[in-house]
């Protein structure tokens, strides 16, 4: 059982002087502001003796009139004294500045965003401490525990992106890495069911429960962008998969996504996309996928002859020959210069730049198919759209349309 005293929910509101204007024994001094949550904790411990109870608290609210870390650490000490069996140390509040996004630190924030807060609490208590917040990098997670800064790590988004994170890390396999794009939480807050940019099965697991990839086929995937790589990673077991990519490296559209000012609703970070692609390539390689870089399938169609299935994941291209200009603008960092950043953050411009100004390239690859081969096209190759839809399409094609 976990008592939630974080992120601006009820107990956390008692903690913040800006919100708690009470003049009775539940407001004013820190002791009074902490009283409500600690009474709840003691009452739960008394009602269910023997039940381990975790106290989860924001130790820093990040706004004037919110809880400060010194105060948060003191409440953690009192919670341990009141019987908490572990302390789950987080930070942030819906009033946090510059934005409440910090509760789920987006991709522009560093890994292990709140780990030093956990370490500060750990020095002050004897019960186990659980750290949370951008600990989805396996090496960072291991180091957080090994360094003695925390006893446990908690994962939120990393498990949405890859529910097998724990098993894979235990087996030493590459994970499907969360981008920290916050699409999951932002869409959920907007009333939609949970979904994930990189995990096309998130929120609709039952649809995929009985599904499986094709078996015993030789599969050629044309295009090593996010959709092609995702497809290859999902069908790699039980098939012989080769990915053809005309560029010297993988990544496709994601090589540019981090160069724009925004990705979805958050400030973009190239590092996040690079790590995601590197892990996806590593996951494919781990499962025996072969990569043929610098190989344009249209120039060497004979290479595709031995395959049972061609999967066209060639992405979208700009109309009117605008492609080289668009990629140069992003490569030179122009999209992030003040005036341009405004333009690239404008919803109508983004709509044109990413969707309406591009069109799928799959049609000219379909003719490469030979009699007896199954030919399918996926993702942006069919129609320029959001990465979430392109990757979801790769999931459906790999697992539902086998
Ligand atoms: C889809 C989703 C829903 C969440 N809902 C809540 C919530 O209701 N209350 C809360 O305090 N934190 C919520 N969180 C925040 C997580 O508990 C966690 O603190 C946060 O995601 C940071 O950890 P991470 O970097 O591993 O994702 C949610 C996170 C996600 C991804
Ligand atoms: S939607 Fe984005 S932030 Fe959420 S789990 Fe997926 S990759 Fe991570």
């Amino acid at each position: 059982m976990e008592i939630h005293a974080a992120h601006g929910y009820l107990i956390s509101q008692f903690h913040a002087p800006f919100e708690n204007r009470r003049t009775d024994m539940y407001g004013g001094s820190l002791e009074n502001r902490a009283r409500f949550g600690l009474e709840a904790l003691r009452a739960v411990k008394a009602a269910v003796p023997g039940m381990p109870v975790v106290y989860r608290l924001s130790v820093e609210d990040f706004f004037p009139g919110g809880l400060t870390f010194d105060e948060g650490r003191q409440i953690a000490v009192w919670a341990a004294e009141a019987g908490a069996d572990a302390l789950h140390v987080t930070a942030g509040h819906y009033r946090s500045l510059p934005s409440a996004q910090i509760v789920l630190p987006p991709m522009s924030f560093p890994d292990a965003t709140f780990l030093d807060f956990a370490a500060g609490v750990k020095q002050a208590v004897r019960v186990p401490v659980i750290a949370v917040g951008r600990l989805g990098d396996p090496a960072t997670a291991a180091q957080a525990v090994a360094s003695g800064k925390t006893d446990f790590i908690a994962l939120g988004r990393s498990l949405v992106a890859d529910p097998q994170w724990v098993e894979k890390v235990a087996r030493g396999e590459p994970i499907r890495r969360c981008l920290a794009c916050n699409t999951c939480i932002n869409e959920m807050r907007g009333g939609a069911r949970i979904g994930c940019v990189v995990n096309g099965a998130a929120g609709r697991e039952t649809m995929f429960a009985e599904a499986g990839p094709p078996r015993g086929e030789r599969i050629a995937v044309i295009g090593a962008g996010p959709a092609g790589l995702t497809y290859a990673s999902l069908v790699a077991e039980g098939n012989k998969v080769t990915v053809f990519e005309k560029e010297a490296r993988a990544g496709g559209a994601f090589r540019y996504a981090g160069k724009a000012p925004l990705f979805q609703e958050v400030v973009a970070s190239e590092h996040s996309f690079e790590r995601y692609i590197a892990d996806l390539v590593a996951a494919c390689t781990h499962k025996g996928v072969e990569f043929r870089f610098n190989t344009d399938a249209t120039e060497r169609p004979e290479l595709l002859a031995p395959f049972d299935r061609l999967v066209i994941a060639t992405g979208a291209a700009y109309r009117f020959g605008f492609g080289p200009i668009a990629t140069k603008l992003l490569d030179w960092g122009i999209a992030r210069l003040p005036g341009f950043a405004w333009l690239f953050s404008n919803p109508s411009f983004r709509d044109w730049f990413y969707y309406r100004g591009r069109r799928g390239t799959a049609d000219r690859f379909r003719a490469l198919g030979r009699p007896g081969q199954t030919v399918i096209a996926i993702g942006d190759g069919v129609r320029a759209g959001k990465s979430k839809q392109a990757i979801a399409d790769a999931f459906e094609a790999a697992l539902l349309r086998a």
Side-chain angles (χ1 to χ4, degrees), residues 57-212:
L57 83 161
S58 284
V59 290
E60 164 67 61
D61 282 342
F62 301 117
F63 72 94
L67 198 72
T68 62
F69 177 59
D70 285 344
E71 293 179 320
R73 184 176 47 200
Q74 181 58 59
I75 296 176
V77 170
W78 287 333
E81 287 167 4
D85 296 281
L87 294 163
H88 186 160
V89 178
T90 179
H93 186 286
Y94 67 86
R95 289 188 190 276
S96 290
L97 296 174
S99 107
Q101 294 266 17
I102 195 168
V103 169
L104 291 84
M107 60 175 81
S108 55
F109 284 74
D111 277 354
T113 318
F114 305 138
L115 182 60
D116 286 339
F117 290 142
V121 170
K122 188 164 158 53
Q123 283 173 355
V125 299
R126 300 187 68 167
V127 296
V129 166
I130 305 167
V132 70
R134 299 216 60 197
L135 288 161
D137 174 55
T140 305
Q143 179 58 23
V145 176
S147 66
K149 289 188 169 182
T150 185
D151 299 292
F152 294 87
I153 61 128
L155 300 173
R157 292 164 291 179
S158 294
L159 293 178
V160 179
D162 191 345
Q164 291 176 315
W165 191 101
V166 175
E167 295 99 299
K168 286 182 183 172
V169 171
R171 290 198 299 257
E173 285 175 28
I175 48 150
R176 184 167 54 234
R177 198 182 279 257
C178 163
L179 295 167
C181 66
N182 286 8
T183 306
C184 46
I185 189 78
N186 290 339
E187 286 188 354
M188 218 175 80
R189 285 187 179 134
R193 77 161 75 179
I194 191 166
C196 170
V197 169
V198 301
N199 177 7
R204 43 186 199 153
E205 288 79 1
T206 49
M207 220 169 112
F208 291 88
E210 306 290 322

Side-chain angles (χ1 to χ4, degrees), residues 39-65:
E39 280 184 355
L41 170 61
R42 282 193 206 94
V44 170
K45 287 298 292 183
V48 276
M51 160 86 76
V53 179
V54 177
Y55 203 67
R56 183 179 209 218
L57 83 161
S58 284
V59 290
E60 164 67 61
D61 282 342
F62 301 117
F63 72 94

